[in-house]
Amino acid sequence: MSANRPDNPLFLPIDTSVLLQLIATDTVAILRLLRADYKIQPAIAAAVEAETSTLLSTSRKFMGRQEQLKKALSNNTIICIDQHSLGCLGSCAETMAKQIDSEGQRLYLHVGVGRGEAFTHAASSVLRVPVATNDTSAVNRLLRSEEIIFRPVLRFWDIIVFAHQVGQLTETQCDKVRQGLVRLADRIPQCFTGRAYSA
């Protein structure tokens, strides 16, 4: 790797908002690409797993997709952030896991962001890696509280555009993703509102 290019992060903490959109649009395979080709392990906090599982079971928009999450977790496309999954960090894995838990509790209780976002941003901060989240209100609240946010902050559509750039998704597939979110009445960026992905 070039001396001018930083190493890829070992982990990519993903919050509930991005994970649900990946599941709802059948694009979880992009996370396998990150792990296999770029050695970036997509990871979620236990709070995100709990939130996502609940929404996949109770929200009309997302119901019936529980198997996608179970499969992604069982084949390590996504891992849950804990001492075991941080084992690649060596002897500091236990300390890091405890720091993430402590920091997540602090962000949740004292900064006032949602539980999933709190533990996702805690993992990002402790591991010093970027985060994938669509929740700009949580990001803004953290910034107003002068919390450290590692950049870039990736959104669902950043992941989709990346997959298109590396040939994982065609323009047609990207537009099907856009159409799928429109059908679900889920949020899409203004640049994709009422127009095709390639427009």
Side-chain angles (χ1 to χ4, degrees):
M1 189 166 284
S2 163
N4 295 329
R5 289 178 59 192
D7 291 337
N8 289 335
L10 288 176
F11 301 99
L12 178 63
I14 299 172
D15 87 346
T16 306
S17 62
V18 170
L19 183 57
L20 279 172
Q21 288 190 330
L22 287 164
I23 291 170
T25 58
D26 296 316
T27 52
V28 174
I30 299 169
L31 302 182
R32 284 197 294 277
L33 171 79
L34 290 178
R35 187 169 65 99
D37 291 7
Y38 298 93
K39 308 305 180 220
I40 301 169
Q41 176 63 66
I44 57 173
V48 169
E49 181 184 10
E51 285 178 357
T52 304
S53 295
T54 298
L55 288 166
L56 292 175
S57 301
T58 61
S59 170
R60 222 178 264 184
K61 279 203 305 194
F62 301 115
M63 278 172 72
R65 302 174 191 272
Q66 297 92 324
E67 280 306 310
Q68 288 186 48
L69 177 60
K70 287 179 187 171
K71 183 177 178 184
L73 287 166
S74 68
N75 65 20
N76 290 329
T77 296
I78 303 167
I79 60 166
C80 275
I81 300 166
D82 57 22
Q83 182 180 340
H84 173 72
S85 65
L86 298 178
C88 63
L89 301 175
S91 60
C92 65
E94 181 179 3
T95 303
M96 292 275 209
K98 286 179 179 174
Q99 274 185 294
I100 290 168
D101 188 54
S102 172
E103 186 69 358
Q105 292 285 0
R106 183 184 71 78
L107 293 176
Y108 177 59
L109 295 172
H110 301 295
V111 178
V113 293
R115 192 165 179 77
E117 289 84 2
F119 284 87
T120 301
H121 284 284
S124 169
S125 175
V126 171
L127 297 170
R128 304 178 66 80
V129 295
V131 65
T133 180
N134 293 328
D135 193 336
T136 54
S137 63
V139 170
N140 289 334
R141 185 177 292 239
L142 290 164
L143 289 171
R144 281 194 304 272
S145 299
E146 299 183 356
E147 300 292 340
I148 295 171
I149 302 241
F150 281 86
R151 310 277 197 317
V153 174
L154 301 172
R155 298 156 302 169
F156 169 77
W157 279 100
D158 293 316
I159 295 170
I160 296 300
V161 170
F162 167 77
H164 177 245
Q165 288 174 335
V166 299
Q168 176 83 359
L169 294 177
T170 64
E171 282 187 2
T172 301
Q173 289 170 316
C174 291
D175 201 50
K176 283 184 181 171
V177 167
R178 184 193 64 80
Q179 291 168 5
L181 292 180
V182 169
R183 275 193 302 277
L184 288 171
D186 215 18
R187 70 181 118 178
I188 60 172
Q190 189 174 356
C191 62
F192 295 135
T193 302
R195 65 187 69 169
Y197 173 82
S198 58

